[in-house]
Amino acid sequence: MILGLDVGGTHTDVVLIDKDGIHRQTKVPTDHADLLGCVRAGIEGVTGGIPPDGISRVVLSTTLTTNAIIEGKTNETAVIVSAGPGVDPEFFRTGPHYYCVAGSIDHRGREIQSVKTSEIQAIASKLKTDGVRQVAVVSKFSVRNPKHETQVRDILGDSFFNVVLGHRLSGNLNFPRRIATAYLNAAVCETHRRFFDAVRESLEKKGLNVPIYVLKADGGTMSLEASLQCPGQTILSGPAASVMGSLPFASETEETLVLDIGGTSTDMAILIRKVPLLDPLGCELGGYKTLIRALKTVSIGLGGDSVVRLADGGLSIGPDRKGPAMAYGGPVPTPTDALFVLGKVNDGDAGSSRRGLQPIADGLGMSLEDTANRVFDEACRKILSAAGEMISNINSKPVYTVQELLGGYQVRPGEILVLGGPAPHFARRLGDFTDSRVRVVPRWQVANALGAALAKNTSEVTLFADTERGIAVAPEEDFYKTVKRDFDRESAVRLAFDLLRDKCVKQGAVESELEMEVIEDIQFNMVRSFYTSGRNIRVKVQVKPGLIPGYREIADRLAESVPPQT
């Protein structure tokens, strides 16, 4: 059995799946002050009476790092940057503990100016005095030669909780994004480690000594141990879980708009014939543009528990949430309360919903039932409007899937898949406002946790070779090798695949499940005095994101639980 767990903004969803589908499922309210307590309660809810050796692995999707960044609750973090000539790195300052130091590497990885040991020692002394224990180190072109970053780390010594090196996070060139990526990874490291140490301890107390995986922003999984080296990879794993939970049920012949309507927000994504779209450069979070590989998702502050209020004589919904719907004891009316007034939901106190919406109905000069209909319709229209803006934005730029670039492709979803707590109710009404076919994802209440459970391991490797200098490097993997002048693109691809295979196995992947592919393959000759002096080669390979083998049987069984369609 596999245990999948998704910590959402409103609920923490947990599923226990076997070859026949979902064996058990539960939802517990998410307490943002005690996320670990939510995780424990969720695990307790599905594992009672299950022999520990009956569970083979645990996969977690969590908003922990995302929330820490958005809410500014990360640890105080220093950034040490060496740049050399060009744009002033001060433009990319991340906070008060930001130091631009001597040292320069050129675009081919050659050292131009060395690091000053005394300068780094002085910074280390000041950081210790200031109590800063998280440090990110970034040198420009470190992906071509990480020497300066490792030198700075060695000079800093062992006095810091964690020192994140920029070249270990991505093989892509982009200095500003690398600074932001290293900073965020360092800033959430302690929070991430504390949380997952507690999760591991909690599982071990139950006798569950099983591999623990965490869902990444690109929809793949990585082992818990690997995630401790780059915790920033776990940001936006919630929306990624939505995509993976929808994937088994999406159309194989047309585009799909995925809408995960929760209590706090609605997450949106696009699938092209079952293949997710990718944010090509990296995701943006908390005002920082990063190199963190992520699925293309958009979130808006509108869900079943969004606040409904009068504003300027009209109706306003969200983006804030004050708690659950009044029918469940909340303080303000919500779209869910509108459903209670309309008689579509009856497992709470409909009287509270009516009392909550009545002042709004009076302000609008409408009957209570008409007001409830208007609230619900307005929520549906706002979701579709935001989805339209997202699609328009996607179509204004090159379209990247997790597998390839689709030049000139225009996204026109023929179907909409809806998941999340109120999915069936929203799906029926959304179908009235669009020409697209609207369907509900099976087990819509816990589809995110299901997506986390079914996602397989993904990784990528970037290899850079300069045959004139006789080197091949993969900085993310801490790999360096001398090569001869006849080293070519085919040799680079083979070497990159070998590195990728080793990386995935170390991260807990089963080798037979790896589906590796080349996603970037560039080679050009370097010429001096009219003669070819060497080759410059760049290769990027990946394990294709997707679902674990055997998911189809599970999906087919779950499809039997689909609610009536619109």
Side-chain angles (χ1 to χ4, degrees):
M1 292 181 178
I2 300 174
L3 191 153
L5 186 148
D6 175 62
V7 182
T10 306
H11 288 100
T12 295
D13 303 336
V14 193
V15 297
L16 192 61
I17 64 171
D18 58 18
K19 60 182 176 56
D20 295 322
I22 294 180
H23 184 71
R24 291 180 183 173
Q25 68 181 60
T26 189
K27 295 174 78 76
V28 298
T30 296
D31 180 354
H32 292 273
D34 184 18
L35 288 181
L36 182 59
C38 302
V39 171
R40 285 173 172 155
I43 292 173
E44 290 286 342
V46 299
T47 57
I50 301 292
D53 59 1
I55 299 174
S56 59
R57 69 171 185 165
V58 174
V59 187
L60 304 172
S61 163
T62 171
T63 58
L64 182 69
T65 53
T66 304
N67 290 345
I69 293 168
I70 292 175
E71 296 171 10
K73 295 180 178 177
T74 56
N75 290 100
E76 200 74 24
T77 300
V79 178
I80 300 175
V81 178
S82 64
V87 178
D88 186 350
E90 271 293 336
F91 289 140
F92 317 121
R93 173 173 282 275
T94 55
H97 307 289
Y98 187 88
Y99 301 91
C100 302
V101 301
S104 176
I105 302 285
D106 77 2
H107 68 287
R108 288 184 60 188
R110 297 170 298 196
E111 183 180 53
I112 305 301
Q113 181 190 33
S114 59
V115 171
K116 289 183 179 178
T117 301
S118 59
E119 185 179 27
I120 304 304
Q121 289 173 332
I123 292 171
S125 178
K126 185 171 191 325
L127 292 178
K128 291 174 191 174
T129 302
D130 293 344
V132 179
R133 291 293 179 264
Q134 308 288 341
V135 185
V137 181
V138 183
S139 79
K140 198 173 183 181
F141 296 118
S142 62
V143 290
R144 300 292 165 80
N145 183 352
K147 176 183 175 182
H148 283 180
E149 290 184 359
T150 55
Q151 282 183 338
V152 172
R153 178 198 59 194
D154 293 343
I155 296 169
L156 288 172
D158 300 327
S159 300
F160 296 92
F161 179 82
N162 190 40
V163 178
V164 172
L165 304 184
H167 72 274
R168 301 302 301 274
L169 303 173
S170 170
N172 293 339
L173 282 173
N174 191 312
F175 190 41
R177 283 181 181 262
R178 186 172 304 284
I179 292 172
T181 304
Y183 166 70
L184 292 180
N185 269 277
V188 300
C189 185
E190 190 171 347
T191 303
H192 181 78
R193 180 182 292 276
R194 193 166 52 241
F195 179 72
F196 278 97
D197 280 350
V199 170
R200 179 190 293 282
E201 182 183 342
S202 178
L203 290 171
E204 287 177 351
K205 284 182 179 177
K206 289 189 64 65
L208 288 169
N209 296 301
V210 298
I212 305 171
Y213 298 84
V214 56
L215 194 69
K216 299 187 297 179
D218 71 354
T221 65
M222 66 194 308
S223 69
L224 172 61
E225 290 73 17
S227 75
L228 296 176
Q229 303 304 314
C230 46
Q233 295 274 9
T234 67
I235 68 173
L236 299 179
S237 64
S242 305
V243 173
M244 303 313 288
S246 303
L247 208 57
F249 313 103
S251 169
E252 294 182 351
T253 59
E254 59 187 348
E255 291 105 64
T256 302
L257 167 64
V258 176
L259 298 176
D260 180 1
I261 304 174
T264 307
S265 62
T266 296
D267 298 331
M268 306 176 183
I270 294 290
L271 304 176
I272 297 180
R273 299 183 295 276
K274 278 184 176 291
V275 179
L277 285 187
L278 194 67
D279 221 334
L281 294 178
C283 62
E284 181 174 349
L285 187 67
Y288 295 100
K289 293 181 178 180
T290 77
L291 289 173
I292 296 170
R293 179 181 155 98
L295 301 183
K296 181 71 175 176
T297 59
V298 171
S299 296
I300 61 171
L302 198 160
D305 296 340
S306 294
V307 176
V308 176
R309 55 170 67 91
L310 288 171
D312 300 326
L315 192 64
S316 171
I317 307 176
D320 50 335
R321 174 183 185 270
K322 302 290 187 187
M326 295 183 74
Y328 300 123
V332 294
T334 69
T336 298
D337 286 310
L339 291 173
F340 271 91
V341 171
L342 295 172
K344 296 180 183 296
V345 185
N346 54 20
D347 60 345
D349 182 1
S352 292
S353 296
R354 298 180 72 86
R355 288 190 292 275
L357 280 174
Q358 188 61 58
I360 293 176
D362 294 341
L364 294 173
M366 302 173 64
S367 71
L368 188 60
E369 284 68 23
D370 286 345
T371 299
N373 271 315
R374 183 170 167 181
V375 167
F376 194 48
D377 289 355
E378 181 73 11
C380 290
R381 286 195 175 96
K382 287 187 71 171
I383 290 171
L384 289 175
S385 175
E389 289 181 19
M390 177 188 71
I391 293 168
S392 177
N393 181 263
I394 289 172
N395 285 335
S396 68
K397 301 173 183 174
V399 176
Y400 294 81
T401 68
V402 295
Q403 297 176 3
E404 59 186 338
L405 164 65
L406 303 177
Y409 197 91
Q410 293 291 294
V411 173
R412 295 185 179 83
E415 71 167 3
I416 299 174
L417 283 181
V418 190
L419 63 156
H425 307 294
F426 273 87
R428 293 187 183 97
R429 196 60 177 143
L430 287 168
D432 295 332
F433 297 135
T434 175
D435 293 330
S436 298
R437 185 174 65 262
V438 182
R439 294 191 291 137
V440 177
V441 173
R443 300 295 184 100
W444 65 93
Q445 311 97 322
V446 291
N448 286 28
L450 181 67
L454 296 180
K456 69 178 184 179
N457 176 275
T458 58
S459 290
E460 62 178 13
V461 164
T462 304
L463 181 77
F464 170 74
D466 184 335
T467 62
E468 185 180 54
R469 297 180 60 215
I471 60 168
V473 297
E476 291 171 90
E477 321 315 317
D478 201 18
F479 175 83
Y480 177 94
K481 179 183 181 180
T482 58
V483 296
K484 298 180 179 178
R485 293 181 68 84
D486 62 352
F487 189 84
D488 58 13
R489 182 167 52 193
E490 289 71 25
S491 303
V493 169
R494 285 196 297 273
L495 179 55
F497 276 152
D498 288 343
L499 292 171
L500 180 61
R501 187 178 297 106
D502 291 345
K503 181 177 183 176
C504 289
V505 171
K506 287 178 182 175
Q507 292 188 358
V510 178
E511 190 169 347
S512 60
E513 299 176 358
L514 301 182
E515 193 176 0
M516 300 188 292
E517 61 182 353
V518 178
I519 55 176
E520 193 172 321
D521 177 8
I522 302 171
Q523 172 179 293
F524 60 88
N525 293 331
M526 291 175 283
V527 178
R528 295 185 187 280
S529 303
F530 304 104
Y531 293 97
T532 300
S533 59
R535 299 188 186 91
N536 192 306
I537 305 168
R538 187 173 188 271
V539 170
K540 178 175 285 191
V541 296
Q542 73 164 358
V543 171
K544 192 184 299 182
L547 304 176
I548 58 176
Y551 81 87
R552 174 49 62 191
E553 292 180 10
I554 297 172
D556 287 345
R557 287 177 171 79
L558 292 176
E560 297 172 2
S561 62
V562 178
Q565 302 298 291
T566 56

